[in-house]
Amino acid sequence: RAKGLGGRRVEVFAAHMHAEAVRRLETAADLQRALLDQQFAIEYQPVVDLATSRVTAVEALVRWCRGSGVFTPPEQFLGTAEDTGLIVPLSEWILREACREVAEWRAANWDIGLSVNLSKRQIMAAGFVETVSEALSDSGLPPSALTLEVIEEMLVEDAEDTIGKLSDLRALGVRLAIDDFGTGYASLALLRQLPVDIIKIDPSFVSGLGRDETLSLLTRTIVRLGHDLGLIVVAEGIERPEQLDLLREMGCSRGQGYLVGRPMAAQGVSSLIRTSLTASA
Ligand code: C2E
Ligand code: MG
Ligand code: MG
Ligand code: MG
């Protein structure tokens, strides 16, 4: 009896696994086609100087809009893209396209930087450092205007190789940021391993500002830690005015979130930056 039941459970499990495998396969094939059909786009989210409200940079966020108009969030396809290796050409396209667009905005006298999220496989791919330097030289974007965002998971395998490559890029003038800071087990150890310039406080801390004493205290502590280490601290996920006020009061340098600016298409950024220029002039 017990065996029969167990067998049934295995069957149900296998059917579920099968559906999951088919879904992933579909996504893999879809992704390949999407890359050829240019179904990917980039949205840019402003990063704002909290003291002056000036937009200092934009973060490039990939978007996948299928022909049917269906929007698939990055977290639903980046895993498959990573597993299949498609992340490598996709990331190169994002990097080149974003460098090109931001270089154009800078040429129009908008002094902003660009932040790009890296993936593990992208860093591990042969020629990664060369690809980044080519994206810079081809677009004319100065290395100091580019920030590369990494998360802790990227340093789990082949840490030495990854740190070596990122350090080489930093030696060229590129800046490094730790994204989702505070959520990993080794956020503090990372600061010792990687020559970083920026930490981005995870929204899970920012969300509790003014509502949860522990989270408020942790946020304040991370801001102070970052500043004591001479780093730029970016708070992510600012949605409420109260959070913005508290972060300003804590002296947090930069902020990002729906309240200060939503991710938007390239045309949206052009008008936003024009407004911000006029306001600060
Ligand atoms: P991330 O790098 O931490 O990016 C921030 C995410 O938070 C973005 O989600 C952004 O749209 C969202 N966000 C910004 N402000 C707010 C807010 O006030 N409230 C809330 N609830 N969310 C906010 P998105 O675009 O869905 O991206 C999710 C993650 O996917 C990113 O997290 C990043 O890890 C990854 N990702 C996105 N684009 C790329 C890319 O081009 N390459 C790679 N390798 N990863 C990417
Ligand atoms: Mg990011
Ligand atoms: Mg983040
Ligand atoms: Mg994230």
Side-chain angles (χ1 to χ4, degrees), residues 59 61 116-117 149 179-180 200 236 256:
E59 177 176 1
L61 297 163
V116 174
N117 294 286
E149 299 191 3
D179 203 355
D180 303 350
K200 301 188 75 170
E236 277 199 285
Q256 210 178 331

Side-chain angles (χ1 to χ4, degrees), residues 42-43 45 59-63 71 73-75 77-78 82 87 90-91 94-95 116-120 122 149 151 154 179-180 200 202-203 236-239 243 256-263:
I42 301 174
E43 281 195 334
Q45 185 177 32
E59 177 176 1
L61 297 163
V62 67
R63 300 294 177 241
F71 168 80
E75 269 151 351
F77 63 84
L78 286 173
E82 185 92 26
I87 193 78
L90 176 60
S91 301
I94 295 164
L95 182 70
V116 174
N117 294 286
L118 296 182
S119 83
K120 186 158 71 181
Q122 176 187 15
E149 299 191 3
I151 54 170
M154 288 166 199
D179 203 355
D180 303 350
K200 301 188 75 170
D202 194 73
E236 277 199 285
I238 306 173
E239 292 181 348
Q243 295 169 310
Q256 210 178 331
Y258 294 162
L259 182 69
V260 285
R262 286 190 173 260

Side-chain angles (χ1 to χ4, degrees), residues 43-55:
E43 281 195 334
Y44 297 92
Q45 185 177 32
V47 180
V48 165
D49 182 315
L50 291 182
T52 62
S53 296
R54 193 179 78 84
V55 177

Side-chain angles (χ1 to χ4, degrees), residues 118-125 128-129 148 150-170 176 190 193-195:
L118 296 182
S119 83
K120 186 158 71 181
R121 194 123 171 207
Q122 176 187 15
I123 306 174
M124 287 165 79
F128 166 68
V129 174
L148 299 176
V150 296
I151 54 170
E152 200 180 307
E153 291 156 45
M154 288 166 199
L155 296 184
V156 175
E157 297 161 49
D158 259 325
E160 237 172 272
D161 182 59
T162 302
I163 292 166
K165 289 173 170 178
L166 293 172
S167 305
D168 288 351
L169 285 169
R170 190 166 183 270
L176 300 180
L190 255 189
Q193 289 177 282
L194 255 193

Side-chain angles (χ1 to χ4, degrees), residues 129-271:
V129 174
E130 292 73 16
T131 303
V132 176
S133 4
E134 269 175 37
L136 289 168
S137 52
D138 290 355
S139 63
L141 190 74
S144 61
L146 178 66
T147 297
L148 299 176
E149 299 191 3
V150 296
I151 54 170
E152 200 180 307
E153 291 156 45
M154 288 166 199
L155 296 184
V156 175
E157 297 161 49
D158 259 325
E160 237 172 272
D161 182 59
T162 302
I163 292 166
K165 289 173 170 178
L166 293 172
S167 305
D168 288 351
L169 285 169
R170 190 166 183 270
L172 295 178
V174 170
R175 285 159 213 252
L176 300 180
I178 301 178
D179 203 355
D180 303 350
F181 188 84
T183 54
Y185 290 107
S187 288
L188 294 177
L190 255 189
L191 287 177
R192 239 194 27 210
Q193 289 177 282
L194 255 193
V196 299
D197 306 278
I198 298 166
I199 54 178
K200 301 188 75 170
I201 309 178
D202 194 73
S204 56
F205 296 96
V206 178
S207 67
L209 279 180
R211 289 184 177 171
D212 179 304
E213 251 179 73
T214 306
L215 288 174
S216 303
L217 185 63
L218 282 170
T219 307
R220 189 179 292 277
T221 305
I222 298 174
V223 169
R224 191 175 306 144
L225 169 84
H227 288 166
D228 286 351
L229 290 170
L231 306 175
I232 291 175
V233 181
V234 183
E236 277 199 285
I238 306 173
E239 292 181 348
R240 291 178 280 116
E242 177 193 18
Q243 295 169 310
L244 188 60
D245 293 344
L246 282 166
L247 287 162
R248 282 190 165 129
E249 181 253 309
M250 291 174 188
C252 184
S253 24
R254 313 244 163 114
Q256 210 178 331
Y258 294 162
L259 182 69
V260 285
R262 286 190 173 260
M264 59 191 107
Q267 305 94 288
V269 182
S270 310
S271 49

Side-chain angles (χ1 to χ4, degrees), residues 34-126:
L35 201 56
L36 294 171
D37 292 353
Q38 301 180 308
Q39 290 177 7
F40 292 104
I42 301 174
E43 281 195 334
Y44 297 92
Q45 185 177 32
V47 180
V48 165
D49 182 315
L50 291 182
T52 62
S53 296
R54 193 179 78 84
V55 177
T56 57
V58 287
E59 177 176 1
L61 297 163
V62 67
R63 300 294 177 241
W64 179 15
C65 291
R66 306 194 197 206
S68 50
V70 178
F71 168 80
T72 310
E75 269 151 351
Q76 271 176 38
F77 63 84
L78 286 173
T80 305
E82 185 92 26
D83 293 349
T84 56
L86 268 172
I87 193 78
V88 177
L90 176 60
S91 301
E92 180 168 350
W93 176 79
I94 295 164
L95 182 70
R96 287 184 167 278
E97 181 72 3
C99 285
R100 190 185 62 73
E101 285 189 309
V102 173
E104 267 178 30
W105 296 328
R106 289 174 60 93
N109 217 14
W110 295 329
D111 182 20
I112 54 161
L114 166 67
S115 216
V116 174
N117 294 286
L118 296 182
S119 83
K120 186 158 71 181
R121 194 123 171 207
Q122 176 187 15
I123 306 174
M124 287 165 79

